Amino acid sequence: MRVKTGVDVLAGGGTHPWLSGGARMGLVTNPTGVTAEFVSTVDICAGLPDTRLTVLFACEHGLNGELQAGVPFADSVHPRYGIPVYSLYGTQKKPLPFMLAEVDTILFDIQDVGVRYYTYASTLFRMMEACGEAGKRLLVLDRPNPLGGMEVEGGLLQEGYQSFVGAWTTPIRTGMTIGELALLVNAECSEPCSLEVIAMEGWRRGMNFAETGLPWMMPSPNIPTVDTVRAYAGICLFEGTNVSEGRGTTRPFEWIGAPWINGEQLADAMQAHGLHGVHFHPVYMTPGFSKHAGELCGGVRIFVTNETEFRSVETGLLLLHEIAVGYSEQFEWLEPPREGSGYFIDLLTGGAEVRDVIGDINRLSGLMALWREQEQMWRERQKPFLIYE
């Protein structure tokens, strides 16, 4: 049986008391907002009876998902419905009061990837904050966590390291759907909003995405497949370095490399760690854009051989370690993206420890052990907010 997402439930005749009586709706979505039959959530919402779609909101990558990472964009008007499309990735990332003036309920329908750095959850949290301040209601149309709902991984974000790539004290892999995560954050924040979730039907925590029967719509330009998502949680850490994380190649986040890396030596070093569920193979690529564009780069491709056993974050940490040790004269942490923000790797990892211990395998092993303890703390903390068996 195919899983029904929140919007599938809504499109199939599901009702909610907030969507009646001439209610004015706003919608946060992108190309992943689509039913199992490939009907846009925008069209579904525009066609709901006894309601009115008055405004749209677009997050990173744009309403149509066409923009590369980090590219800001301005407000616009929807070409079909003639309603405002407010940018939440331009001069502001939190809705301003006037943007919510013509709505009673905000709907959120975007495919998350279950990883803390992915900015869609940050957009949701800021919308929740704005709705709480403005007295608006927020309805999350839930979707599967493509990494499943069983495994969590990575240390908890530390105080003082909050950013748009880390907006709440979660581990790197949350093990929650976007709806479950919204419930947790709303319960823990200082000014909660009126929040409810339209739950999926038929989803189980142990499902992989293929078992859902749902189409995989690219959540962003460099997450083309579910295979990409499996590697992303660990390989995204390379965004904080001068090593290519695969942007500009046909295998973003499944391949890393640089002009000064020997792919065979790096693959051998990683294989020697004996990590479960993953194989490292030397592959040479020339990125078409982003880091090292136009340069031949040595590196490795990450093949996930057992997704249940594969620990992507620990894989990413050990890759960082081997490159930092083996190429100490070339390897660099990227400069702070803006004054006072700290190194980007610190924002991704949620603290300064990774940058401090990389290069010392004993200290790195100790940090990974500490993070495993924090994963167990998170499992207890998330329990009251889990919707699905």
Side-chain angles (χ1 to χ4, degrees), residues 72-118:
F73 57 95
D75 300 338
S76 61
V77 175
H78 193 273
R80 180 176 179 183
Y81 294 110
I83 58 178
V85 180
Y86 290 122
S87 170
L88 299 182
Y89 203 78
T91 56
Q92 72 284 319
K93 293 183 173 68
K94 175 182 171 181
L96 298 174
F98 80 89
M99 299 176 180
L100 300 176
E102 297 300 319
V103 300
D104 304 302
T105 299
I106 296 289
L107 282 72
F108 183 97
D109 186 27
I110 291 180
Q111 177 65 61
D112 186 43
V113 300
V115 177
R116 186 177 68 211
Y117 347 104
Y118 218 57

Side-chain angles (χ1 to χ4, degrees), residues 135-153:
K136 306 295 182 178
R137 302 171 300 209
L138 182 60
L139 192 58
V140 177
L141 308 183
D142 212 5
R143 289 187 171 272
N145 183 329
L147 295 174
M150 301 293 289
E151 301 300 327
V152 303
E153 191 182 3

